[in-house]
Amino acid sequence: MTVHHLNQLLLVGALVLLVAVAAVRVSSRSGLPSLLLYLGIGVAMGQDGIGNISFDNAELTQVIGYAALVVILAEGGLGTKWKEIKPALPAAAALSLVGVAVSVGVTAAGAHYLVGLEWRQSLIIGAVVSSTDAAAVFSVLRKVPLPARVTGVLEAESGFNDAPVVILVVAFSTTGPIEQWYVLLGKIALELAIGAATGLAVGLLGSYGLRHVALPASGLYPIAVMAIATVAYAAGAMAEGSGFLAVYLAAMVLGNAKLPHWPATRGFAEGLGWIAQIGMFVLLGLLVTPHELAADFVPALLIGLVLTVVARPLEVFVSLLPFRIPWQEKTLMSWAGLRGAVPIILATIPMVTGIADSQRIFNIVFVLVVVYTLVQGPTLPWLARTLRLGDASEAADLGIESAPLERLRGHLLSVSVPTGSRMHGVEVGELRLPKGAAVTLVVREGTSFVPSPTTVLRRGDELLVVTTDPVRDAAEARLRAVAEGGKLAGWLGTGGSADR
């Protein structure tokens, strides 16, 4: 490759990124998940499009897709709040195991009896489309705050169900007879156990190291966090476990470990996640040959109808039968089973292994994901409001960034008071921070000043809180308690120490 060709490639790549970033704005206004716009960019650049780029390397697409999924799952795990997901874990686990089995069976039966596909191809499609995508769900629900239980179940389900689905797709896509169901169950259980143990171990070790070792530059913390998450995936996969579950759990541990420079790390991870999504979907769009989709359009609609109207609701209501979840929440979860990146990437596995009709499987999955995302995406906010599940009273999370002061054995906390926080109207003295912690500076509307104990905090304020190392966690817990419960948080049971 010459320098001239490299310059052209960089120019095209930069233009694609700029168009994709602009597409985020369009998707946020239209209510459509941005994945559709990225796929559209890839299709427009590929065969039958204005770019007329010929690309048919399914193996390369699968490798790049897996790498992108590692980044996307890491970003999702870092943004998962343990206090929200903890009560939802049993329900999410049921959806990810029992629910996947129900979805695969019902969808495969529909593909076999309605479309006439062979059982192997039907099972592959049933497994491929059984994976949900939280990024697609929450991209259209960002304007409709939902109860913590609903968001927790949907988010945990999307992080957990990738692992069993990948195992099933690989098993169905191997040449030769399909393994007995009890063998598959044993393999799934073993790989999930290894992946979970690996992810938790790497996450705990990584968080301990980052909290006790001060790196020379703040910009190294985001890189270190993403590197640890990637190590979790590699270690889990090399141990013949689920690397996807390992990276998600490791990232979740890191995301809830109160690491230094957390807002910067979160922003870095989000940026990498966007780049991974953009590159992955553009590449998947390039892999599609649009004029070949027409023959599989009706089969895709029929299979998608079975999946959306029968399999997904049955999966939700059967899996959540032991849990006391209102029917309104189950109904929303049934409709919120959006498919995104994972199904299309998994559809490349049978293409790589040489399964018969693998191109048709890919085309059906591609059409199904696009069409039913167009149907479900814009209607999700309306359904949430109709079911009266919007929770507008939930206050924004208090933004706290910690910078370690190694030589002083202390921490400098940067605290942002968001709109809706009950810290608004609280005097500095009423924060009742533990001994060893103090508010040293307040920045309000661009002006900074040293506060007195009677200084009243306002929405939009930014505080600098200096704390000694032993009371850092207690100080942060107290700040969050006041943000949620106001000045009487300690006495009203909101949490946080009331002792000074």
Side-chain angles (χ1 to χ4, degrees), residues 41 67-68 73 79-80 123 156 199 238 244 258 275 298 325 345 355 360-361 368 387 405 408 449-450 466 476 480:
I41 294 173
L73 284 172
T80 300
L123 287 170
M238 292 177 66
F244 291 120
K258 301 176 183 177
I275 292 176
V298 174
I325 298 178
I345 292 174
I355 294 296
R360 189 183 185 195
I361 292 173
L368 187 155
L387 296 173
L405 305 174
L408 303 179
F449 59 92
V450 176
V466 175
E476 185 171 338
R480 293 190 184 278

Side-chain angles (χ1 to χ4, degrees), residues 170 212 219 258 260 264 270 391 422 452:
V170 172
H212 290 81
K258 301 176 183 177
E270 287 180 354
D391 188 3
R422 293 189 180 181
S452 68

Side-chain angles (χ1 to χ4, degrees), residues 61-338:
T61 303
Q62 180 184 330
V63 171
I64 295 177
Y66 271 38
L69 280 178
V70 171
V71 176
I72 294 170
L73 284 172
E75 191 272 329
L78 291 173
T80 300
K81 299 178 183 178
W82 175 245
K83 65 179 181 180
E84 292 183 1
I85 203 175
K86 182 180 178 181
L89 284 179
L95 275 174
S96 302
L97 297 174
V98 178
V100 164
V102 172
S103 179
V104 171
V106 174
T107 307
H112 178 72
Y113 292 110
L114 294 180
V115 180
L117 293 175
E118 296 291 334
W119 271 115
R120 181 185 290 272
Q121 285 76 10
S122 299
L123 287 170
I124 291 174
I125 291 178
V128 163
V129 298
S130 293
S131 178
T132 57
D133 186 356
V137 173
F138 294 117
S139 68
V140 298
L141 284 179
R142 61 168 63 94
K143 296 181 181 179
V144 186
L146 295 175
R149 177 167 55 187
V150 175
T151 57
V153 171
L154 289 174
E155 191 167 356
E157 179 201 9
S158 67
F160 293 164
N161 65 13
D162 290 343
V165 165
V166 169
I167 296 170
L168 288 175
V169 174
V170 172
F172 296 153
S173 299
T174 54
T175 56
I178 298 175
E179 294 176 321
Q180 297 292 335
W181 64 269
Y182 52 84
V183 177
L184 284 177
L185 285 180
K187 182 180 292 187
I188 289 173
L190 180 60
E191 291 195 19
L192 291 180
I194 295 174
T198 304
L200 292 175
V202 172
L204 290 171
L205 288 173
S207 61
Y208 179 85
L210 289 176
R211 292 189 64 183
H212 290 81
V213 177
L215 298 178
S218 61
L220 294 176
Y221 283 91
I223 299 174
V225 167
M226 295 304 295
I228 292 170
T230 305
V231 167
Y233 170 81
M238 292 177 66
E240 298 187 357
S242 172
F244 291 120
L245 182 59
V247 67
Y248 181 77
L249 290 179
M252 187 171 66
V253 172
L254 291 168
N256 289 272
K258 301 176 183 177
L259 299 178
H261 303 290
W262 177 243
T265 300
R266 187 76 183 95
F268 179 79
E270 287 180 354
L272 282 184
W274 278 112
I275 292 176
Q277 288 190 61
I278 291 169
M280 178 176 57
F281 286 125
V282 170
L283 192 62
L284 290 171
L286 284 173
L287 192 61
V288 173
T289 305
H291 71 264
E292 296 179 354
L293 299 178
D296 298 312
F297 191 81
V298 174
L301 291 183
L302 290 175
I303 296 173
L305 189 64
V306 172
L307 171 67
T308 306
V309 179
V310 181
R312 176 64 181 180
L314 191 62
E315 165 191 356
V316 171
F317 279 85
V318 169
S319 301
L320 302 182
L321 195 60
F323 306 96
R324 295 181 179 179
I325 298 178
W327 68 267
Q328 295 94 335
E329 295 183 9
K330 292 180 181 177
T331 301
L332 183 66
M333 292 179 196
S334 299
W335 194 246
L338 293 183

Side-chain angles (χ1 to χ4, degrees), residues 423-449:
M423 193 178 286
H424 173 78
V426 176
E427 295 182 1
V428 169
E430 293 172 331
L431 292 175
R432 304 197 313 280
L433 295 176
K435 292 180 180 179
V439 179
T440 59
L441 195 70
V442 175
V443 179
R444 179 177 298 165
E445 297 179 353
T447 302
S448 58
F449 59 92

